[in-house]
Amino acid sequence: MSPLGDGQASSDGQASSDGSLPRWLRPLYEAEEMRAADAYTIEQVSVPSLELMERAGTGLARVCAERAHRDPIVVVIGKGNNAGDGLVCARHLRAEGREVEVLALFAPEELSGDARTNLERLPGDRPKPFARERLEGAALICDALLGTGARGAPRPPFDAAIAAINDSGAPIVACDIPSGVDATTGEVPGAAVRAHATATFHASKVGLHVRPGAEHAGEVVEIEIGIARDAPRPRRCGLISEEVARLYPPRSRYGHKFRTGFVLVVGGSVGLTGAPALAALAAQRAGAGYVQLALPASVRDVVDARLLEQMCLAFPERDGTHDPVSVERLGELAARVGCVALGPGLGRTEAAIAFARAAAAALPVPIVLDADGLGAHAGELELLATRRAPTVLTPHEGELARLLAVDVDEVRAHRLRSAREAARRAQAICLLKGDDTLVALPDGRVAISAGGSPALATAGTGDVLTGIIAAFVARGMEPLAATCFAVLAHARAGAAAARRLGADHVIARDVIDELPAAIAGPGGPAPPAEVGGPRFPRRLG
């Protein structure tokens, strides 16, 4: 069963049945996809590879010149195409009168092809052998060591050169991808350059937006180099763009509360009453017309006292949490519901685990599975694959590690692979939280967040996100689009709250307060870098 549900089409640019990306995802290239686009342009459109390199190096020089307010600029090259890009960059900077030193890890005679041609075109001093001490006093270092095709941990002499560049204290501009970062996955298996900016060619790469690679990229600047418009395009990953907001359905003047989004929040337990309250309030602020909460009887009054517009229902309980015997009643209640948020504050007792598993299996409607609802399926993701209605999982790294029965460091190092694995095994949408939030489908396609705000790193904001997703699904948005727009609106709201209060002082309720404006549109100026905000690549060309 598709996590998108039966009959979900792609005519409006949502999740496409042919495996392509929705139009509201800004395509991000994997290394092989970029090679295919290069090859098509060179072989089918007859654009010389030397011309593509010239444009790439020219754009790289512009990015370096913008950031080097004095000289010298040091360009460090390996021996592949990145070396050629670096040599073009050095030539243009020297033509502008800048003092540029080129340091090479290998003898110049080892260069070949277009890189060798650009070595011969370089005016002034020839490249000098790389030495750590030659980086001293550099105003800026251009990293042109390893390109997008590099895989695995950098070997000698690259690893030592990368360490020296990082230790130099100079601003660093990376050529296409920071050396040591996997362009396809964002993984960093060994030494990797920590760039202040990355000049990436034609379009951005997946690895520049997925941690830990994203932490090495700095500002991403796209350089137009003349790739053919009809060249093969990415089909697996894209950056969530503002365009997804257009899919949010406006409320009709003739609408009824039950037809404008009916959300049921199922959770709560003794000592864990805040989570379901936050999810419920977020769902209603996000546009749900009607929100109910199914709560253990002993905590209903506590939650009810926190809420005004939402209806709290008392359910049978065992050990202060939900009793599995009430799943049948839950199913009857859910018959009119557009989406169920299952798990906030549910608890981790044996009864709670049994209840969550039984409820997820029995509910005939879309569910957003969060917190303890996820924990109930630790190591048992395949139980969710038999569901007939769409499922959205919303784990952070620790929760995803438990779902996959692996160490959290494994997830942290391989975020993209881990999210895809969970989506495949559960046949669900898997939203892996983080500033680079990943939204993975079982077929391997992934939507990536452009970033949010450090303000969201506080208790309760995950419950808020769950409520937003549930509201959007209940309002009739296709689940992938609903999940991605919820990520975007959540990020917008966090950034707005940070502008108002300061990132260190935001609490989850502040994010809820900002949701109406966040859903309507960004509004106002972009937040300063220290506050955070969507991190879309800047375009040059």
Side-chain angles (χ1 to χ4, degrees):
M1 176 64 188
S2 166
L4 307 181
D6 291 322
Q8 299 294 346
S10 60
S11 59
D12 60 356
Q14 300 182 39
S16 305
S17 58
D18 64 356
S20 61
L21 297 176
R23 64 171 174 258
W24 43 263
L25 285 181
R26 184 172 177 174
L28 296 173
Y29 282 79
E30 297 180 346
E32 187 57 42
E33 291 171 332
M34 194 64 243
R35 276 194 292 271
D38 283 339
Y40 179 90
T41 301
I42 295 165
E43 297 166 10
Q44 303 299 320
V45 188
S46 300
V47 176
S49 58
L50 192 62
E51 186 173 326
L52 297 179
M53 183 175 286
E54 182 69 19
R55 294 171 184 167
T58 302
L60 177 61
R62 290 167 63 189
V63 175
C64 290
E66 286 177 357
R67 286 161 177 76
H69 303 299
R70 60 180 181 84
D71 292 335
I73 297 171
V74 177
V75 180
V76 185
I77 63 171
K79 60 179 178 180
N81 282 338
N82 257 35
D85 299 329
L87 289 164
V88 174
C89 170
R91 167 162 46 88
H92 281 279
L93 290 171
R94 284 180 176 176
E96 293 175 7
R98 305 299 298 263
E99 180 186 348
V100 180
E101 185 168 28
V102 181
L103 303 182
L105 253 62
F106 301 93
E109 307 83 66
E110 295 189 44
L111 293 177
S112 61
D114 294 342
R116 181 59 178 257
T117 299
N118 278 300
L119 173 64
E120 294 166 356
R121 291 178 174 179
L122 182 68
D125 293 340
R126 300 272 289 177
K128 298 176 181 176
F130 178 85
R132 174 183 285 265
E133 57 270 19
R134 288 190 167 130
L135 299 177
E136 294 177 6
L140 180 139
I141 298 172
C142 176
D143 158 36
L145 288 171
L146 295 169
T148 56
R151 302 296 300 271
R155 297 186 295 271
F158 291 102
D159 54 351
I162 289 169
I165 290 170
N166 286 339
D167 292 344
S168 70
I172 303 166
V173 172
C175 174
D176 212 9
I177 192 86
S179 295
V181 172
D182 190 304
T184 297
T185 67
E187 294 175 6
V188 179
V193 165
R194 288 193 171 271
H196 297 77
T198 299
T200 194
F201 306 135
H202 176 56
S204 200
K205 313 306 184 292
V206 176
L208 297 173
H209 300 276
V210 178
R211 289 178 23 231
E215 298 169 354
H216 290 253
E219 180 190 3
V220 177
V221 183
E222 294 177 343
I223 306 297
E224 177 55 55
I225 63 171
I227 295 295
R229 290 189 176 184
D230 56 347
R233 291 171 61 81
R235 298 178 66 86
R236 282 167 54 86
C237 291
L239 207 59
I240 300 169
S241 77
E242 302 284 344
E243 192 175 343
V244 70
R246 299 179 185 177
L247 302 178
Y248 181 77
R251 185 173 293 183
S252 167
R253 63 183 292 186
Y254 305 111
H256 184 277
K257 62 184 178 183
F258 292 115
R259 293 197 295 271
T260 54
F262 185 172
V263 170
L264 176 64
V265 177
V266 181
S269 59
V270 173
L272 296 173
T273 56
L278 287 169
L281 184 55
Q284 203 133 33
R285 278 289 188 214
Y290 191 66
V291 178
Q292 285 187 336
L293 295 92
L295 303 159
S298 64
V299 303
R300 192 204 73 155
D301 290 347
V302 176
V303 178
D304 201 26
R306 299 182 176 192
L307 302 170
L308 294 177
E309 295 86 356
Q310 299 78 23
M311 179 178 289
C312 296
L313 306 175
F315 270 58
E317 67 177 82
R318 186 195 305 174
D319 301 325
T321 189
H322 282 275
D323 191 319
V325 301
S326 61
V327 168
E328 183 176 352
R329 180 190 170 195
L330 186 67
E332 295 170 355
L333 182 64
R336 299 173 62 194
V337 169
C339 187
V340 173
L342 175 60
L346 187 65
R348 301 179 183 179
T349 66
E350 289 186 11
I353 292 170
F355 171 83
R357 289 186 177 184
L363 287 169
V365 297
I367 65 171
V368 181
L369 200 60
D370 187 25
D372 295 327
L374 292 168
H377 292 83
E380 301 286 351
L381 270 172
E382 286 77 10
L383 295 175
L384 297 166
T386 60
R387 279 183 38 79
R388 299 294 301 166
T391 308
V392 181
L393 315 178
T394 62
H396 54 59
E397 287 177 344
E399 289 166 335
L400 185 54
R402 291 189 287 274
L403 286 171
L404 296 174
V406 299
D407 188 89
V408 68
D409 288 338
E410 174 77 7
V411 173
R412 194 169 290 132
H414 309 286
R415 285 176 60 82
L416 200 58
R417 185 179 75 191
S418 299
R420 282 177 167 144
E421 176 69 7
R424 183 190 64 80
R425 286 172 54 181
Q427 287 297 292
I429 293 171
C430 179
L431 182 161
L432 176 54
K433 296 172 187 172
D435 190 62
D436 61 331
T437 293
L438 310 180
V439 182
L441 286 170
D443 64 8
R445 287 177 293 164
V446 180
I448 302 170
S449 171
S453 168
L456 295 175
T458 189
T461 55
D463 302 305
V464 172
L465 179 58
T466 292
I468 302 170
I469 300 169
F472 290 174
V473 172
R475 285 180 67 89
M477 291 184 73
E478 175 271 326
L480 177 63
T483 304
C484 290
F485 184 37
V487 170
L488 178 62
H490 192 238
R492 286 174 174 175
R499 283 195 296 270
R500 181 166 57 89
L501 300 167
D504 292 329
H505 312 295
V506 171
I507 61 175
R509 282 174 290 172
D510 300 321
V511 179
I512 294 174
D513 290 343
E514 299 291 347
L515 281 176
I519 291 168
E530 64 269 18
V531 172
R535 204 174 143 268
F536 293 104
R538 181 164 66 89
R539 188 94 174 146
L540 280 183

